[in-house]
Amino acid sequence: MRSSKRLERLPPYLFAELERKIAAKKAAGVDVISLGIGDPDTPTGEEIVAALSGAAADPATHRYPSNRGREELRRATAGFYERRFGVQLDPEREIVPALGAKECVFNLNLAFLDPGDVALAADPGYPVYTGGPLLAGAEAALMPLLPERGFAPDLEAISEEDRGRARLMYLNYPNNPTGAVVPEGLFEQVVEFARRHELLVVHDASYTETTFDGYVAPSFLETPGAKEVGVEVFSLSKGWNMTGWRTAAIVGNAEAVEAYWRLKTNIDSGMFEAVQLAAAAALEAGPPAEMWALYERRRDLVCDALREIGVEVTPPKGTIYVWAPVPEGHTSASYCELVLEESGVALSPGGAYGANGEGFFRISLTVADDRLREAMERLRASLGG
Ligand SMILES: Cc1ncc(COP(=O)(O)O)c(C=O)c1O
């Protein structure tokens, strides 16, 4: 069977080899501790589950939803943005629910890119920013995120050709995989850049609600002029422990929100209305604040242990990840393989997030404290010397 050329344009899946090795280890009876995927281990709040149960018992929610979303959810999203960020959104024109940030980001490529167009995407970055443009028949132009620039893209370094062809720019702060928070002044520069080059900025706000040390992450839409040039993709997945629910929203520029909605009416039939009502309850309640202390404690545990074995790590102020350099003499893949082999701990190789992720590895903090402590003990025992 022949798959489409579109599909074949995707780069090889770089986690494949590691996943094969993890499966082989498990089959051989090794108790593998996976620090790979960022999927909260804490359950969704009981009141959100109760809101879902109540709504699901009402047959009115059993029919096709609309892609515009229930008014309750759009109003709850607007209310959250107003309280949390001081950003005013029109629930009628500036908010549409999405089946997760991933779906939304992917579909924005279909809505805004033609063959020959370019999406400016961070390297390292969430893989959909680069795979999405390819599947849309367009291309991604990479913006290196380097530690010496605080993991901010260098807008001046974007070539004339890429500026001319760019229709989209993806940003994401707090940032996966680097854990960086938005550097001072970056959003302002981006608004100016987007105006000059007439492109749509897409800020992926998947981690604004998971921050530490008292740091409060801004919305891109707080930046003067942002709504003229951009949208934000806001997800409940990480901040509310709701990855399985597929709840997010696109908010901001009304024209872009409308284009996304128009595209979506041809692709899916929206979000189960009971989930929409539960998501509205979640937004009204706000994210569970106890998670901040939990991830902060785990972050400290990981950073302290890494330092003890000689890994120089900067504790992140946000996300649910620790991003650290591999020891000299290793590639990110060879180091992750060695760690898996010697200690049964699975890490994510930085190279899987782009060429500039090479030389780093990522640890996810979404593992119970005792397992995380054990993973760090194992690293210390096998690699400490
Ligand atoms: C930067 C970023 N965007 C989007 C997503 C996916 O979010 P969602 O569960 O809302 O689709 C992730 C998940 O890891 C992510 O790291």
Side-chain angles (χ1 to χ4, degrees):
M1 197 184 295
R2 190 181 70 83
S3 51
S4 70
K5 295 202 175 58
R6 204 177 306 115
L7 198 55
E8 279 159 16
R9 290 180 76 201
L10 286 179
Y13 182 55
L14 287 174
F15 289 110
E17 183 56 13
L18 193 66
E19 281 177 3
R20 197 187 58 73
K21 291 200 163 129
I22 293 171
K25 282 265 163 212
K26 285 186 177 163
V30 176
D31 171 27
V32 175
I33 304 179
S34 179
L35 307 182
I37 190 165
D39 190 357
D41 55 311
T42 312
T44 306
E46 279 171 21
E47 64 298 344
I48 303 172
V49 176
L52 173 73
S53 306
D58 176 1
T61 65
H62 298 176
R63 310 191 68 189
Y64 281 122
S66 93
N67 279 90
R68 286 267 177 222
R70 297 258 315 207
E71 196 182 335
E72 293 92 331
L73 178 54
R74 284 183 278 115
R75 288 199 179 285
T77 307
F80 179 78
Y81 260 72
E82 170 89 62
R83 286 191 305 280
R84 166 71 176 85
F85 300 116
V87 168
Q88 286 178 354
L89 294 169
D90 176 354
E92 303 300 323
R93 299 169 55 247
E94 295 177 336
I95 302 173
V96 161
L99 301 170
K102 187 178 196 177
E103 174 268 296
C104 187
V105 166
F106 173 73
N107 279 322
L108 285 170
N109 293 292
L110 292 185
F112 287 96
L113 300 178
D114 285 314
D117 290 344
V118 152
L120 298 169
D123 167 17
Y126 184 58
V128 184
Y129 309 145
T130 45
L134 285 180
L135 288 172
E139 284 160 56
L142 301 177
M143 304 184 291
L145 299 191
L146 304 175
E148 54 271 28
R149 292 185 51 83
F151 297 106
D154 182 355
L155 303 182
E156 295 307 316
I158 297 169
S159 73
E160 282 303 322
E161 197 205 332
D162 288 341
R163 289 169 189 232
R165 292 165 67 201
R167 295 285 167 271
L168 290 176
M169 176 191 279
Y170 289 115
L171 292 176
N172 160 229
Y173 293 98
N175 181 263
N176 176 22
T178 66
V181 298
V182 65
E184 187 82 33
L186 177 66
F187 282 163
E188 287 78 4
Q189 287 170 30
V190 165
V191 168
E192 173 55 28
F193 186 90
R195 275 196 187 129
R196 211 168 348 124
H197 300 292
E198 294 181 19
L199 52 85
L200 177 71
V201 178
V202 178
H203 181 240
D204 179 341
S206 288
Y207 297 95
T208 52
E209 307 314 300
T210 45
T211 54
F212 322 121
D213 303 334
Y215 173 77
V216 179
S219 159
F220 173 62
L221 298 179
E222 289 174 39
T223 317
K227 221 197 261 182
E228 288 159 36
V229 296
V231 288
E232 188 149 83
V233 182
F234 185 82
S235 172
L236 279 74
S237 282
K238 315 287 174 155
W240 279 260
N241 303 326
M242 291 178 73
T243 47
W245 297 60
R246 316 312 303 132
T247 47
I250 180 170
V251 302
N253 185 278
E255 246 179 274
V257 169
E258 176 75 11
Y260 169 78
W261 169 80
R262 203 146 47 85
L263 176 83
K264 283 262 287 180
T265 57
N266 289 281
I267 295 179
D268 63 58
S269 298
M271 187 189 296
F272 179 27
E273 290 200 358
V275 171
Q276 293 191 46
L277 293 170
L283 286 161
E284 273 154 17
E290 66 274 14
M291 298 308 296
W292 300 327
L294 177 113
Y295 289 132
E296 195 171 304
R297 185 174 73 231
R298 291 179 182 172
R299 175 204 62 174
D300 291 344
L301 189 160
V302 167
C303 290
D304 289 349
L306 289 176
R307 285 196 184 120
E308 273 175 43
I309 60 171
V311 176
E312 277 191 38
V313 60
T314 310
K317 281 198 164 35
T319 75
I320 47 179
Y321 310 110
V322 171
W323 182 245
V326 301
E328 218 151 292
H330 277 286
T331 65
S332 58
S334 74
Y335 184 66
C336 292
E337 278 173 33
L338 175 78
V339 170
L340 179 64
E341 193 53 45
E342 302 221 327
S343 60
V345 174
L347 310 170
S348 293
Y353 301 93
N356 283 294
E358 184 46 56
F360 290 86
F361 63 91
R362 194 193 78 172
I363 285 181
S364 166
L365 303 174
T366 54
V367 179
D369 287 35
D370 56 336
R371 292 291 277 169
L372 197 57
R373 208 168 291 118
E374 186 184 334
M376 292 298 122
E377 277 309 320
R378 289 194 202 170
L379 284 188
R380 215 183 329 243
S382 68
L383 303 165

